[in-house]
Amino acid sequence: MDKEAIADLIEAKYSELITWLENQPNDSWTQGPEGKWTTGQHALHLLQSIIPLNNALSMPKYLLRFKYGKANRPVRPYAAIVKRYQERLSEAKGKTNKSSKNLKTPTLADKQYLLNRIQTEEKKLQYKTRRISNKNLDTVVLPHPLMGKMPVREIIMWTAHHVEHHTNTLKQIIAISYVAHNNFYLKI
C-alpha cells in the first residue's frame, strides 16, 4: 500500500471512530460491561498507542535503525497484517499489554480533550506518513508489544486496523448493551 493510501486509510478509520464516539450517550463513556473497558478507556488506549508511534517517527531514522535494526523481510500487505494481528490476539487469550492492564477510566470531563488529542495525533501521523521516504517506511523497524518488530509501513497500516478493531468492538458492546437493556433476544 502506498503512502497516500495509508494516510487516507488512517484518516478514514479515525474519522469513523471520532464520529461514532461523539454520537454516543455520555454514560457509555464511564461505564462498560463487567470486566471490560469503558468507551473512554478504549479512546485512551488508542491515544496511548498512537503517541509513541508519532514520537518515534519524529526521531532521526538512523537512531531508530541503530536501536531496533533494519527490516530483514519484505513488507506484508494490509490483509496479512490484519490476519497476523488477529492470530496474535487469539494467542494472547485476552491478556493485555502491561501499559494497558490497569488503564484508568477517563471522566466525562476528559472526553472532549481526549477526542481532540486523538484527532491531533491522527493528523500528525498522516503528515509523517506522507513525508517519510519509501526507503525508511520499508527498512526502519519499530517494536510492537504483540507483533514484534515491524517495518514502519506495516506498523502504520496496523494502526489503521487497530482503530477499526476498537471501533468495531465498541459498536458490538453498545449493540449488546442495547439488546440486554431492552430485553431483546437474538438467536445467534
Side-chain angles (χ1 to χ4, degrees):
M1 187 178 291
D2 70 30
K3 294 190 297 187
E4 287 300 317
I6 296 169
D8 291 346
L9 184 63
I10 290 286
E11 182 176 23
K13 300 302 179 184
Y14 275 97
S15 178
E16 180 182 357
L17 171 73
I18 296 298
T19 300
W20 190 87
L21 289 173
E22 289 174 338
N23 290 309
Q24 294 313 298
N26 287 336
D27 61 341
S28 71
W29 184 259
T30 55
Q31 298 172 2
E34 185 69 33
K36 301 289 184 183
W37 283 351
T38 66
T39 301
Q41 286 172 308
H42 280 273
L44 180 59
H45 169 73
L46 290 169
L47 179 61
Q48 289 177 340
S49 70
I50 194 173
I51 289 172
L53 177 56
N54 277 333
N55 290 344
L57 293 176
S58 294
M59 296 175 66
K61 303 313 172 260
Y62 72 88
L63 285 178
L64 296 175
R65 277 191 291 275
F66 178 75
K67 187 169 184 173
Y68 302 115
K70 289 172 59 174
N72 60 2
R73 60 173 173 75
V75 173
R76 294 181 184 110
Y78 182 77
I81 295 163
V82 169
K83 182 177 186 253
R84 184 167 173 82
Y85 179 61
Q86 296 305 325
E87 290 167 356
R88 292 291 173 99
L89 277 179
S90 177
E91 292 166 6
K93 296 181 179 29
K95 293 180 186 172
T96 58
N97 182 324
K98 63 183 173 183
S99 64
S100 297
K101 198 169 197 96
N102 297 314
L103 201 59
K104 76 172 188 132
T105 303
T107 66
L108 192 54
D110 298 327
K111 182 177 180 179
Q112 197 55 54
Y113 171 77
L114 286 173
L115 295 182
N116 290 343
R117 279 297 310 277
I118 289 169
Q119 286 178 304
T120 300
E121 294 297 327
E122 174 258 328
K123 294 297 179 202
K124 284 183 191 176
L125 184 56
Q126 281 185 61
Y127 176 79
K128 290 171 189 228
T129 300
R130 287 183 169 105
R131 301 271 303 159
I132 191 170
S133 73
N134 281 311
K135 179 181 177 190
N136 283 334
L137 273 173
D138 296 340
T139 61
V140 173
V141 296
L142 293 172
H144 183 281
L146 190 61
M147 307 269 287
K149 289 182 182 177
M150 300 171 69
V152 170
R153 188 182 304 266
E154 283 186 15
I155 208 160
I156 297 171
M157 288 190 287
W158 170 84
T159 299
H161 174 68
H162 187 229
V163 172
E164 177 182 22
H165 170 77
H166 281 274
T167 302
N168 289 340
T169 299
L170 286 165
K171 287 177 180 178
Q172 289 171 353
I173 289 169
I174 295 299
I176 290 168
S177 297
Y178 177 79
V179 168
H181 177 73
N182 292 297
N183 294 320
F184 290 121
Y185 296 96
L186 300 174
K187 185 176 180 182
I188 299 176

